[in-house]
Amino acid sequence: MTMETEPTSTGSTSASSRRVSYFYDAEVGNYHYGQGHPMKPHRVRMTHNLVVNYGLYKKMDVFRPRLLSPTAMTRFHSDDYINFLKVITPDNMTDYTRQLQRFNVGEDCPVFDGLFEFCQLYTSGSIGGAARLNEDSADIVINWSGGLHHAKKAEASGFCYINDCVLAILELLKKHERVLYIDIDIHHGDGVEEAFYSTNRVMTVSFHKFGEYFPGTGDVLDI
């Protein structure tokens, strides 16, 4: 996930002088969705290795995210859903059969070791980045582990559990009157669109494949 603020005046800030904050925690690459699952957090570590070996980190301020509290996640997500993610583990799944179905946690969004900690890590990077923008400490912020745009208020979806995009936008709205969210993932950013559908303070624009393709929303005629 990448966020940036608008330059104060047209052409006043060159590309080389833009202040970039980069959020990364080495632990994020240790989590595993399960054998054969297409979502692989290890790719974030591979991306970070490219950032380091190409020397790109020298042009950025590098931060390890400060972990977000579960309470902070309830700015968007329901209390019941967050509490469920905190307690569910591969060892106790049989005790939460009803909740697994209710919160859509299962095949696409499996339970794995350290699930909630993983959610904290990727979400904290996005919230931390938004805070840097609000403080005018950065012009651009990057969190390659973020962008899990399908998660709903009380439901996992499309490999996403916590919607860090929504939470980051809510953080930005503390200071900025309006936010433009641009989604270039191949899948429609349905979770973010749904979260802000009834407000004029957030405009969501999604460029994605449409048709018989997950999640099946985001028609070209939708406005």
Side-chain angles (χ1 to χ4, degrees):
M1 183 175 184
T2 304
M3 296 175 278
E4 66 178 288
T5 54
E6 184 179 8
T8 53
S9 61
T10 304
S12 63
T13 307
S14 67
S16 61
S17 63
R18 303 300 293 275
R19 300 164 300 164
V20 182
S21 293
Y22 171 67
F23 285 79
Y24 174 73
D25 191 309
E27 291 297 318
V28 75
N30 293 332
Y31 297 96
H32 191 243
Y33 274 57
Q35 188 69 31
H37 198 286
M39 180 67 163
K40 303 183 186 303
H42 177 63
R43 292 171 181 159
V44 179
R45 179 181 288 155
M46 295 170 66
T47 302
H48 177 72
N49 287 339
L50 290 173
V51 169
V52 171
N53 286 293
Y54 276 102
L56 298 177
Y57 71 97
K58 298 175 183 177
K59 300 181 182 296
M60 303 184 288
D61 295 319
V62 182
F63 298 93
R64 183 178 183 182
R66 181 178 298 176
L67 287 186
L68 194 68
S69 70
T71 302
M73 296 179 182
T74 61
R75 290 194 63 207
F76 172 59
H77 294 285
S78 70
D79 292 346
D80 287 351
Y81 179 55
I82 295 301
N83 289 334
F84 166 76
L85 292 178
K86 284 170 56 181
V87 301
I88 193 69
T89 70
D91 294 329
N92 66 14
M93 285 175 57
T94 55
D95 299 329
Y96 293 92
T97 304
R98 183 175 299 176
Q99 290 93 329
L100 287 167
Q101 184 175 5
R102 174 187 171 191
F103 297 126
N104 196 36
V105 174
E107 186 173 347
D108 278 353
C109 303
V111 176
F112 55 86
D113 288 327
L115 170 58
F116 188 71
E117 290 75 15
F118 171 68
C119 293
Q120 279 185 300
L121 280 181
Y122 75 74
T123 303
S124 298
S126 296
I127 298 292
R132 293 280 295 175
L133 293 177
N134 283 351
E135 297 162 0
D136 195 27
S137 299
D139 302 303
I140 299 170
V141 294
I142 300 169
N143 173 29
W144 291 130
S145 65
L148 279 77
H149 56 174
H150 294 304
K152 309 300 196 307
K153 184 179 181 66
E155 181 181 313
S157 178
F159 317 158
C160 308
Y161 304 88
I162 298 296
N163 199 316
D164 63 295
C165 305
V166 170
L167 289 168
I169 291 170
L170 290 173
E171 184 70 20
L172 291 171
L173 289 173
K174 290 180 180 179
K175 178 178 179 181
H176 302 278
E177 184 62 29
R178 290 184 175 87
V179 172
L180 170 62
Y181 170 79
I182 302 174
D183 193 317
I184 58 172
D185 187 80
I186 194 170
H187 304 98
H188 175 227
D190 58 332
V192 184
E193 179 182 291
E194 180 180 302
F196 297 108
Y197 199 78
S198 61
T199 178
N200 64 358
R201 294 188 65 194
V202 179
M203 180 178 182
T204 61
V205 181
S206 180
F207 298 93
H208 55 271
K209 182 177 179 179
F210 177 71
E212 294 186 13
Y213 198 73
F214 182 86
T217 53
D219 191 286
V220 68
L221 299 177
D222 289 352
I223 298 179

